Amino acid sequence: GYQNVLKENRKLYNQLQDLKGNIRVYCRVRPLIGGHPNHYGTINNIDEESISLIIPSKNGKDGKKTFSFDRVFGPSVTQGEVFSDTQPLIRSVLDGYNVCIFAYGQTGSGKTHTMSGPNKLTEETLGVNYQIRNTSHNGINVPDANLVPVSSPSDVLNLMNLGQKNRAVSSTALNDRSSRSHSCLTVHVQGREFASGNSLRGCIHLVDLAGSERVDKSEVTGDRLKEAQHINKSLSALGDVIASLAQKQSHVPYRNSKLTQLLQDSLGGQAKTLMFVHISPEPEALGETISTLKFAERVSTIELGAARVNKDSGDVKELKEQIASLKATLAKKD
Ligand code: ADP
Ligand code: MG
């Protein structure tokens, strides 16, 4: 029945994962603000695994540049479709894996939208009895991190709302704090495997990163400039870590930022990492869009082009087809 199809899907997904390694980079393009979902702005073409941009030139002969990813989601792709593509990864937390999902992109490109969706849950009061337990992780102080027991999806959504509210509150106090800070929601899952009775522990981190836009040094000074440089440093340190994991290098530079130190247990090894790279299709955003895509290309395994193509042509293709047909079966049942 349904459970078996889900299980089969997960098994195939894990096989695919074994073949391709544990790092994925997905690209998502949001709709033009106030525009038609089929108008792509600076985007020339999108297919399942690549995106090409129109690069205007002064002589009137516009150029094109193509970037490849594990998956590309165009502006008309719904939250549901994105979720269903990501679900096997999320479910692997139940198999005891650690999972990190990052949202990267300039401010306004759709990071928070992907991570929490148009979250219109009415406010419910949070239980007052939640405990503040965890103030240190991997030897790093995380003074404001709370570990709260949850028992339902709405508990989690409420916490996410609270986190978002806290982030928004400080934004009025200090120059748009929400785009100049990383936010991380971690869900720890413990369970018992039905057949063996073994206990399993997994955790998933949902990381809504600070806006990736470069700051104009002429516009900011002092603390604000320092902060911006610090953010850019931590984003590029994260990029370096993911790139070296993707390329299976022996040295992974976790220690270059607090973010990567904090998440070290969940990056690399058996852990699974997914980076959602977000693109704004507006012409004004083109400069940032190009630098975002270059960043993303660097963190993905694209540079190992030959190896990737080889794998893609054979087993991966077959597994992908099987997964697609299982997905179709699942869709019929919904
Ligand atoms: P960021 O977190 O990167 O700053 P947001 O997630 O807040 O960006 O998105 C900016 C705006 O665009 C929001 O109003 C959001 O609702 C909208 N938006 C982002 N992505 C999509 C999408 N895929 N479909 C529809 N609206 C989107
Ligand atoms: Mg945001």
XYZ file of all heavy atoms in Angstrom, residues 119-209:
688
model
N 2.994 31.641 5.817
C 2.592 30.982 7.063
C 1.547 31.827 7.784
O 1.854 32.714 8.546
C 3.869 30.816 7.899
C 3.613 30.149 9.215
O 2.477 29.807 9.537
N 4.662 29.970 9.982
N 0.286 31.505 7.525
C -0.791 32.356 8.017
C -1.479 31.769 9.247
O -2.633 32.044 9.506
C -1.831 32.580 6.908
C -1.288 33.311 5.686
C -1.638 34.800 5.774
C -0.735 35.696 4.940
N -0.285 35.220 3.648
N -0.752 30.922 9.958
C -1.336 30.337 11.160
C -1.773 31.429 12.128
O -1.054 32.372 12.370
C -0.289 29.499 11.893
C -0.284 27.997 11.764
C 0.421 27.402 12.967
C -1.693 27.441 11.648
N -2.991 31.290 12.640
C -3.392 32.275 13.626
C -2.559 32.061 14.883
O -2.146 30.952 15.207
C -4.878 32.122 13.998
O -5.103 30.754 14.302
C -5.759 32.596 12.881
N -2.335 33.130 15.578
C -1.459 33.053 16.727
C -2.094 32.230 17.855
O -3.221 32.442 18.246
C -1.187 34.465 17.231
C 0.065 34.537 18.042
C 0.326 35.956 18.465
O 0.157 36.851 17.614
O 0.653 36.141 19.636
N -1.365 31.277 18.298
C -1.838 30.526 19.457
C -0.848 30.791 20.565
O 0.340 30.950 20.320
C -1.853 29.025 19.155
C -3.038 28.605 18.325
C -2.863 27.175 17.814
O -2.455 26.321 18.620
O -3.134 26.954 16.640
N -1.344 30.820 21.770
C -0.398 31.115 22.848
C 0.547 29.951 23.053
O 0.141 28.788 23.032
C -1.128 31.396 24.175
O -2.305 30.614 24.182
C -1.434 32.857 24.327
N 1.779 30.278 23.174
C 2.782 29.260 23.428
C 2.674 28.830 24.882
O 2.436 29.640 25.762
C 4.161 29.875 23.247
C 4.868 29.585 21.955
C 6.038 30.511 21.823
C 5.324 28.143 21.932
N 2.839 27.513 25.125
C 2.849 27.054 26.515
C 3.907 27.844 27.272
O 5.007 28.017 26.771
N 3.615 28.341 28.507
C 4.636 29.112 29.254
C 5.675 28.232 29.904
O 6.673 28.705 30.396
C 3.996 30.028 30.328
C 3.628 31.374 29.743
C 2.808 29.351 30.968
N 5.410 26.921 29.843
C 6.323 26.029 30.574
C 7.472 25.535 29.714
O 7.948 24.448 29.881
C 5.543 24.835 31.125
C 4.851 24.089 30.010
O 4.651 24.649 28.930
N 4.494 22.845 30.242
N 7.876 26.323 28.694
C 8.969 25.768 27.907
C 10.324 26.065 28.526
O 10.524 27.063 29.188
C 8.861 26.120 26.428
C 9.123 27.528 26.002
C 10.416 27.947 25.719
C 8.066 28.420 25.836
C 10.653 29.231 25.259
C 8.299 29.707 25.391
C 9.598 30.100 25.109
O 9.814 31.354 24.663
N 11.203 25.066 28.330
C 12.446 25.106 29.084
C 13.574 25.701 28.262
O 13.677 25.459 27.082
C 12.862 23.676 29.452
C 11.785 22.888 30.124
C 12.039 21.406 29.954
O 13.171 20.956 29.865
N 10.968 20.632 29.906
N 14.392 26.441 28.925
C 15.605 26.939 28.279
C 16.737 26.042 28.747
O 17.064 26.008 29.924
C 15.879 28.399 28.670
C 14.701 29.254 28.244
C 17.186 28.889 28.060
C 14.774 30.692 28.674
N 17.233 25.232 27.838
C 18.214 24.246 28.285
C 19.575 24.421 27.646
O 20.585 24.343 28.298
C 17.708 22.841 27.944
C 16.678 22.357 28.913
C 16.615 20.867 28.862
N 15.494 20.440 28.039
C 15.471 19.291 27.392
N 16.483 18.491 27.422
N 14.413 18.964 26.683
N 19.519 24.658 26.344
C 20.773 24.552 25.620
C 21.444 25.905 25.457
O 20.944 26.763 24.776
C 20.468 23.963 24.241
C 21.716 23.561 23.530
O 22.747 23.357 24.173
N 21.650 23.455 22.227
N 22.549 26.081 26.140
C 23.235 27.353 25.949
C 24.586 27.149 25.302
O 25.312 28.088 25.068
C 23.436 28.099 27.281
O 24.052 27.203 28.186
C 22.122 28.585 27.826
N 24.914 25.908 25.018
C 26.220 25.669 24.429
C 26.138 24.478 23.486
O 25.456 23.504 23.751
C 27.214 25.409 25.552
O 28.307 24.676 25.068
N 26.789 24.622 22.349
C 26.800 23.521 21.394
C 28.145 23.521 20.705
O 28.636 24.556 20.299
C 25.664 23.694 20.371
C 25.602 22.581 19.386
N 25.260 21.301 19.746
C 25.855 22.538 18.061
C 25.298 20.528 18.683
N 25.659 21.256 17.648
N 28.766 22.364 20.618
C 30.114 22.258 20.047
C 31.061 23.261 20.715
O 31.915 23.826 20.060
C 30.092 22.516 18.531
C 29.534 21.328 17.772
O 29.399 20.251 18.319
N 29.199 21.549 16.519
N 30.828 23.503 21.992
C 31.701 24.413 22.717
C 31.457 25.885 22.410
O 32.155 26.757 22.877
N 30.423 26.166 21.602
C 30.142 27.561 21.269
C 28.920 28.001 22.052
O 27.933 27.268 22.133
C 29.844 27.709 19.759
C 31.056 27.269 18.955
C 29.467 29.145 19.416
C 30.754 27.112 17.505
N 29.011 29.184 22.604
C 27.862 29.694 23.338
C 26.738 30.104 22.396
O 26.963 30.823 21.434
C 28.293 30.921 24.127
C 28.128 30.673 25.597
O 27.725 29.567 26.016
N 28.434 31.675 26.393
N 25.547 29.630 22.657
C 24.395 30.071 21.873
C 23.388 30.625 22.871
O 22.444 29.960 23.242
C 23.752 28.902 21.080
C 22.802 29.430 20.027
C 24.821 28.042 20.442
N 23.642 31.858 23.314
C 22.914 32.351 24.485
C 21.399 32.390 24.315
O 20.674 32.193 25.263
C 23.491 33.751 24.702
C 24.272 34.085 23.500
C 24.603 32.828 22.781
N 20.927 32.644 23.112
C 19.488 32.787 22.964
C 18.795 31.555 22.399
O 17.641 31.606 22.011
C 19.162 33.993 22.074
C 19.666 35.283 22.705
O 19.587 35.375 23.945
O 20.156 36.148 21.974
N 19.533 30.459 22.319
C 18.905 29.260 21.752
C 18.098 28.518 22.810
O 18.593 28.210 23.885
C 19.977 28.350 21.179
N 16.860 28.270 22.487
C 15.997 27.533 23.397
C 15.687 26.167 22.816
O 15.450 26.049 21.625
C 14.664 28.262 23.593
C 14.866 29.633 24.183
O 15.909 29.920 24.760
N 13.869 30.482 24.019
N 15.663 25.164 23.689
C 15.266 23.837 23.260
C 13.879 23.574 23.826
O 13.684 23.579 25.037
C 16.276 22.820 23.785
C 16.379 21.484 23.089
C 16.697 21.652 21.615
C 17.461 20.652 23.759
N 12.914 23.424 22.958
C 11.518 23.356 23.385
C 10.905 22.037 22.923
O 10.973 21.711 21.739
C 10.711 24.518 22.745
C 9.282 24.525 23.241
C 11.379 25.851 23.026
N 10.304 21.268 23.845
C 9.660 20.019 23.408
C 8.431 20.333 22.546
O 7.663 21.230 22.880
C 9.220 19.342 24.710
C 9.769 20.169 25.812
C 10.131 21.511 25.275
N 8.278 19.628 21.456
C 7.110 19.851 20.604
C 6.430 18.515 20.333
O 7.073 17.473 20.324
C 7.483 20.499 19.248
C 7.878 21.943 19.417
C 8.596 19.724 18.550
N 5.123 18.573 20.120
C 4.439 17.309 19.869
C 3.537 17.345 18.642
O 2.851 16.374 18.366
C 3.648 16.901 21.109
O 2.781 17.951 21.442
N 3.538 18.450 17.923
C 2.692 18.499 16.728
C 3.251 19.522 15.751
O 4.019 20.403 16.142
C 1.268 18.909 17.117
O 1.278 20.261 17.517
N 2.850 19.411 14.476
C 3.317 20.400 13.507
C 2.950 21.819 13.914
O 3.738 22.753 13.708
C 2.584 20.011 12.218
C 2.281 18.568 12.375
C 2.050 18.351 13.836
N 1.782 21.989 14.542
C 1.421 23.367 14.872
C 2.302 23.922 16.000
O 2.560 25.123 16.041
C -0.072 23.505 15.165
O -0.370 22.954 16.400
N 2.792 23.037 16.880
C 3.787 23.479 17.875
C 5.008 24.060 17.175
O 5.543 25.104 17.562
C 4.279 22.300 18.733
C 3.272 21.886 19.794
O 2.227 22.571 19.913
O 3.533 20.883 20.485
N 5.453 23.340 16.140
C 6.656 23.778 15.425
C 6.395 25.098 14.705
O 7.197 26.033 14.768
C 7.128 22.701 14.412
C 8.342 23.196 13.643
C 7.448 21.399 15.135
N 5.227 25.174 14.044
C 4.896 26.406 13.324
C 4.804 27.593 14.268
O 5.238 28.693 13.952
C 3.583 26.233 12.548
C 3.732 25.364 11.294
C 2.369 25.009 10.717
C 4.582 26.067 10.240
N 4.251 27.353 15.457
C 4.177 28.429 16.440
C 5.563 28.921 16.834
O 5.791 30.124 16.960
C 3.443 27.963 17.698
C 1.943 28.054 17.524
O 1.455 28.921 16.797
N 1.220 27.158 18.151
N 6.460 27.970 17.008
C 7.831 28.362 17.356
C 8.478 29.151 16.230
O 9.195 30.116 16.461
C 8.674 27.119 17.647
C 8.520 26.530 19.028
C 9.325 25.251 19.136
C 8.983 27.526 20.083
N 8.198 28.703 14.994
C 8.769 29.421 13.856
C 8.227 30.845 13.807
O 8.959 31.797 13.552
C 8.461 28.687 12.552
C 9.246 27.404 12.412
S 8.724 26.430 10.986
C 9.679 27.212 9.677
N 6.926 30.970 14.075
C 6.324 32.303 14.120
C 6.989 33.170 15.171
O 7.284 34.341 14.940
C 4.828 32.213 14.458
C 4.009 31.878 13.222
O 4.497 32.004 12.101
N 2.779 31.439 13.421
N 7.205 32.573 16.327
C 7.824 33.317 17.421
C 9.225 33.775 17.015
O 9.588 34.933 17.213
C 7.891 32.440 18.675
C 8.475 33.124 19.902
C 7.462 34.071 20.522
C 8.922 32.099 20.938
N 9.969 32.848 16.415
C 11.325 33.175 15.974
C 11.314 34.306 14.969
O 12.100 35.252 15.049
N 10.367 34.212 14.017
C 10.280 35.253 12.992
C 9.907 36.596 13.597
O 10.382 37.640 13.179
C 9.257 34.863 11.931
C 9.924 34.188 10.746
C 8.938 33.612 9.765
O 7.796 34.056 9.692
N 9.365 32.626 9.015
N 9.030 36.527 14.603
C 8.616 37.767 15.251
C 9.803 38.407 15.974
O 10.032 39.603 15.869
C 7.475 37.489 16.235
C 6.329 38.465 16.043
C 5.217 38.224 17.033
C 4.280 37.125 16.565
N 3.512 36.544 17.661
N 10.564 37.579 16.670
C 11.749 38.104 17.357
C 12.711 38.746 16.380
O 13.316 39.774 16.660
C 12.480 36.976 18.097
C 11.743 36.561 19.340
O 10.828 37.266 19.788
N 12.098 35.411 19.879
N 12.844 38.116 15.232
C 13.762 38.624 14.224
C 13.252 39.955 13.683
O 14.020 40.892 13.496
C 13.834 37.602 13.102
C 15.159 37.494 12.431
C 15.068 36.433 11.367
N 16.288 36.338 10.605
C 16.372 35.779 9.426
N 15.292 35.245 8.883
N 17.505 35.724 8.780
N 11.943 40.017 13.456
C 11.345 41.235 12.905
C 11.390 42.376 13.904
O 11.640 43.514 13.544
C 9.913 40.960 12.469
N 11.175 42.069 15.195
C 11.160 43.103 16.227
C 12.478 43.855 16.233
O 12.514 45.076 16.167
C 10.893 42.487 17.625
C 11.252 43.470 18.723
C 9.441 42.080 17.734
N 13.580 43.095 16.230
C 14.857 43.816 16.297
C 15.174 44.528 14.988
O 16.050 45.355 14.944
C 16.008 42.896 16.699
O 15.607 41.583 16.677
N 14.431 44.217 13.931
C 14.759 44.848 12.659
C 14.473 46.348 12.654
O 15.146 47.110 11.993
C 14.022 44.171 11.506
O 12.755 44.738 11.341
N 13.477 46.777 13.416
C 13.221 48.208 13.480
C 14.312 48.901 14.305
O 14.674 50.029 14.032
C 11.848 48.515 14.112
O 11.712 47.708 15.260
C 10.721 48.263 13.137
N 14.807 48.157 15.287
C 15.828 48.743 16.146
C 17.164 48.876 15.411
O 17.869 49.843 15.565
C 16.010 47.896 17.400
N 17.511 47.908 14.638
C 18.811 47.948 13.989
C 18.684 47.592 12.513
O 18.600 46.443 12.156
C 19.769 46.995 14.697
C 21.229 47.413 14.614
C 21.822 47.469 16.011
C 21.993 46.443 13.757
N 18.671 48.630 11.698
C 18.758 48.466 10.254
C 18.434 47.094 9.652
O 19.312 46.340 9.291
C 20.182 48.856 9.856
C 20.142 49.887 8.774
O 19.219 49.881 7.962
N 21.108 50.785 8.768
N 17.180 46.788 9.528
C 16.751 45.552 8.913
C 17.518 44.317 9.383
O 18.225 43.664 8.643
C 16.842 45.647 7.389
C 16.094 44.483 6.757
O 15.394 43.769 7.507
O 16.208 44.282 5.541
N 17.340 44.031 10.654
C 18.048 42.921 11.275
C 17.753 41.580 10.598
O 18.601 40.712 10.522
C 17.641 42.858 12.745
C 18.678 42.380 13.717
C 19.611 43.442 14.191
N 20.876 43.019 14.747
C 21.725 42.145 14.271
N 21.418 41.427 13.234
N 22.877 41.930 14.846
N 16.511 41.447 10.096
C 16.141 40.125 9.593
C 16.929 39.742 8.356
O 17.209 38.588 8.122
C 14.639 40.037 9.316
O 14.317 40.839 8.215
N 17.334 40.756 7.570
C 18.120 40.364 6.405
C 19.608 40.364 6.703
O 20.412 39.914 5.913
C 17.800 41.258 5.210
O 18.211 42.567 5.479
N 19.962 40.910 7.888
C 21.383 40.933 8.250
C 21.701 39.923 9.349
O 22.634 40.099 10.117
C 21.823 42.340 8.695
C 21.478 43.475 7.749
C 21.847 43.227 6.305
N 23.260 43.046 6.062
C 23.759 42.410 4.986
N 22.972 41.871 4.097
N 25.054 42.293 4.822
N 20.870 38.884 9.466
C 21.169 37.857 10.460
C 20.800 36.499 9.899
O 19.965 36.406 9.005
C 20.373 38.114 11.747
O 18.985 38.020 11.477
N 21.445 35.472 10.396
C 21.047 34.121 10.025
C 20.010 33.655 11.041
O 20.096 33.979 12.212
C 22.229 33.152 10.122
C 23.449 33.578 9.378
N 23.416 33.923 8.053
C 24.746 33.688 9.770
C 24.657 34.232 7.657
N 25.463 34.120 8.689
N 19.024 32.902 10.563
C 18.118 32.315 11.551
C 18.125 30.805 11.361
O 18.169 30.300 10.241
C 16.724 32.908 11.386
O 15.791 31.934 11.044
N 18.163 30.090 12.470
C 18.268 28.636 12.374
C 17.230 27.965 13.257
O 17.135 28.257 14.446
C 19.671 28.205 12.803
S 19.906 26.429 12.723
N 16.428 27.118 12.655
C 15.497 26.299 13.424
C 15.998 24.864 13.362
O 16.226 24.328 12.279
C 14.096 26.364 12.813
C 13.110 25.378 13.458
C 12.490 25.974 14.709
C 12.038 24.973 12.480
N 16.195 24.271 14.539
C 16.665 22.885 14.564
C 15.596 22.005 15.176
O 15.057 22.328 16.234
C 17.959 22.767 15.395
O 18.935 23.637 14.811
C 18.486 21.342 15.385
N 15.255 20.932 14.493
C 14.299 19.980 15.056
C 15.046 18.675 15.328
O 15.643 18.092 14.425
C 13.115 19.716 14.092
C 12.106 18.764 14.741
C 12.439 21.026 13.699
N 15.054 18.275 16.598
C 15.660 16.996 16.957
C 14.570 15.935 16.972
O 13.490 16.167 17.523
C 16.287 17.069 18.355
C 17.433 18.018 18.433
N 18.728 17.640 18.191
C 17.473 19.356 18.698
C 19.519 18.695 18.320
N 18.792 19.753 18.628
N 14.839 14.820 16.369
C 13.833 13.754 16.303
C 14.423 12.488 16.908
O 15.537 12.092 16.591
C 13.442 13.475 14.828
C 12.400 12.370 14.755
C 12.928 14.746 14.155
N 13.668 11.892 17.824
C 14.091 10.608 18.373
C 12.991 9.600 18.114
O 11.820 9.908 18.276
C 14.270 10.701 19.889
C 15.526 11.432 20.301
C 15.586 11.589 21.803
O 15.356 10.630 22.518
N 15.886 12.790 22.253
N 13.384 8.420 17.742
C 12.364 7.406 17.508
C 12.924 6.020 17.694
O 14.111 5.836 17.987
N 12.051 5.043 17.565
C 12.487 3.657 17.675
C 12.105 2.938 16.402
O 10.973 3.054 15.938
C 11.796 3.009 18.880
C 12.477 1.764 19.373
C 11.930 1.354 20.730
N 12.334 2.270 21.792
C 13.527 2.263 22.390
N 14.443 1.387 22.020
N 13.821 3.118 23.345
N 13.063 2.239 15.837
C 12.770 1.499 14.620
C 11.873 0.338 14.982
O 12.160 -0.432 15.907
C 14.074 0.992 14.014
C 13.968 0.705 12.545
C 15.325 0.340 11.973
O 16.100 -0.345 12.674
O 15.599 0.741 10.841
N 10.775 0.241 14.239
C 9.732 -0.715 14.598
C 10.259 -2.149 14.628
O 10.081 -2.860 15.616
C 8.570 -0.588 13.610
C 7.310 -1.213 14.109
C 6.645 -0.683 15.198
C 6.811 -2.346 13.484
C 5.490 -1.266 15.672
C 5.649 -2.939 13.950
C 4.993 -2.394 15.045
N 10.933 -2.564 13.558
C 11.361 -3.955 13.431
C 12.454 -4.330 14.432
O 12.346 -5.324 15.155
C 11.822 -4.226 12.003
N 13.502 -3.514 14.508
C 14.666 -3.892 15.316
C 14.593 -3.388 16.744
O 15.308 -3.887 17.611
C 15.927 -3.331 14.659
O 15.887 -1.917 14.710
N 13.765 -2.395 16.988
C 13.716 -1.798 18.320
C 14.880 -0.843 18.575
O 15.001 -0.270 19.643
N 15.759 -0.681 17.578
C 16.873 0.253 17.743
C 16.364 1.679 17.859
O 15.412 2.037 17.176
C 17.802 0.216 16.527
C 18.547 -1.092 16.428
O 18.686 -1.802 17.424
N 18.988 -1.423 15.222
N 17.019 2.460 18.708
C 16.575 3.848 18.753
C 17.369 4.680 17.758
O 18.554 4.429 17.508
C 16.666 4.413 20.167
O 17.998 4.639 20.487
N 16.688 5.609 17.141
C 17.286 6.446 16.115
C 17.167 7.900 16.522
O 16.173 8.310 17.108
C 16.528 6.271 14.792
C 16.634 4.931 14.084
C 15.653 4.866 12.936
C 18.050 4.715 13.576
N 18.201 8.646 16.217
C 18.176 10.078 16.474
C 18.590 10.797 15.216
O 19.600 10.439 14.606
C 19.238 10.455 17.497
C 18.840 10.391 18.900
C 20.132 10.343 19.735
N 19.787 9.940 21.090
C 19.401 10.799 22.020
N 19.382 12.092 21.748
N 19.052 10.397 23.206
N 17.845 11.781 14.847
C 18.247 12.589 13.702
C 17.934 14.042 14.027
O 17.186 14.330 14.967
N 18.508 14.949 13.294
C 18.073 16.326 13.471
C 18.101 17.048 12.143
O 18.826 16.674 11.224
C 18.875 17.055 14.540
S 20.504 17.526 14.044
N 17.239 18.031 12.058
C 17.183 18.826 10.835
C 17.334 20.300 11.193
O 16.714 20.790 12.135
C 15.889 18.551 10.033
C 15.875 19.390 8.752
C 14.613 18.794 10.840
C 14.858 18.926 7.739
N 18.218 20.959 10.470
C 18.407 22.402 10.639
C 17.818 23.118 9.436
O 18.162 22.779 8.303
C 19.892 22.761 10.685
C 20.671 22.061 11.747
N 20.658 22.469 13.053
C 21.485 20.980 11.697
C 21.446 21.674 13.768
N 21.953 20.752 12.964
N 16.958 24.061 9.693
C 16.453 24.920 8.611
C 17.093 26.282 8.800
O 16.819 26.982 9.775
C 14.929 25.044 8.682
C 14.137 23.742 8.553
C 12.640 24.016 8.657
C 14.447 23.054 7.224
N 17.971 26.639 7.890
C 18.757 27.862 8.081
C 18.393 28.899 7.020
O 18.611 28.700 5.834
C 20.275 27.562 8.019
C 21.069 28.802 8.423
C 20.636 26.381 8.899
N 17.792 29.963 7.497
C 17.412 31.084 6.636
C 18.572 32.079 6.759
O 18.703 32.778 7.766
C 16.091 31.655 7.185
C 15.461 32.689 6.264
O 16.149 33.191 5.353
O 14.276 33.014 6.493
N 19.425 32.088 5.759
C 20.672 32.860 5.864
C 20.439 34.357 5.706
O 19.424 34.794 5.151
C 21.657 32.384 4.792
C 22.213 30.971 4.979
C 22.902 30.483 3.702
C 23.180 30.926 6.161
